[in-house]
Amino acid sequence: MRHKNQSCPLHFTLHGAVHFALLLFLSVPLVRCTSPENRLTDDAMRYDFFNTEDGIRIVGRATMPEGSLSESYEDRKARCIESARQHANSKWLGLTEKAIELQTLWHHRLQKGARGPWQRCFDEATMLRYIPAGESCSVVMLYKCDPRDW
């Protein structure tokens, strides 16, 4: 007399092999056709600070400024980018301190026009991505200078 679970050993083996192949396929990262300069990992978007071989990536955020009738979207976008860059710069400066809460103080100082020996790091930083998000915008900045050196 056959038992129910012994009735089709080939089906069980084939079924297991299909599951194994599917699991293997899903665990292998897919190759994407993007250029190296436009490629950002998901981690770079999820975290405010992300260390890479090229430097440190920092996400800065700002609110899209109100516009007048004579102001174009491009003007508002440029102002939002500038504010988001300033926010990212303040995060970079906050990393130079022992207490991260000082990032807010740095942000206020930068809004008032503060400059220092670290200004070169900001001038050399590159914007990797602009991300519009309704009433706000974000930028991903790459800083070659290490904040731990300051």
Side-chain angles (χ1 to χ4, degrees), residues 12 14 19 33 36 47 81 88 94 111-112 118 129 133 147 150:
F12 176 74
L14 184 60
H19 278 290
C33 297
Y47 303 113
I81 288 173
Q111 286 177 326
K112 293 180 180 184
W118 28 260
R129 183 171 287 175
W150 293 86

Side-chain angles (χ1 to χ4, degrees), residues 72-92:
S72 69
Y73 172 76
E74 290 302 317
D75 293 336
R76 292 177 56 221
K77 175 183 168 183
R79 287 185 15 220
C80 194
I81 288 173
E82 185 58 35
S83 294
R85 285 181 71 127
Q86 194 175 73
H87 185 242
N89 291 347
S90 70
K91 286 182 180 182
W92 187 93

Side-chain angles (χ1 to χ4, degrees), residues 106-127:
W106 278 115
H107 193 231
H108 291 300
R109 290 176 186 160
L110 291 174
Q111 286 177 326
K112 293 180 180 184
R115 296 179 64 87
W118 28 260
Q119 188 62 43
R120 176 183 58 83
C121 295
F122 299 161
D123 295 340
E124 293 173 358
T126 55
M127 185 175 70

Side-chain angles (χ1 to χ4, degrees), residues 90-106 109 118 147-148 150:
S90 70
K91 286 182 180 182
W92 187 93
L93 284 166
L95 291 174
T96 66
E97 303 287 346
K98 291 181 183 177
I100 195 68
E101 305 88 43
L102 294 176
Q103 182 261 328
T104 304
L105 296 174
W106 278 115
R109 290 176 186 160
W118 28 260
R148 294 173 292 189
W150 293 86

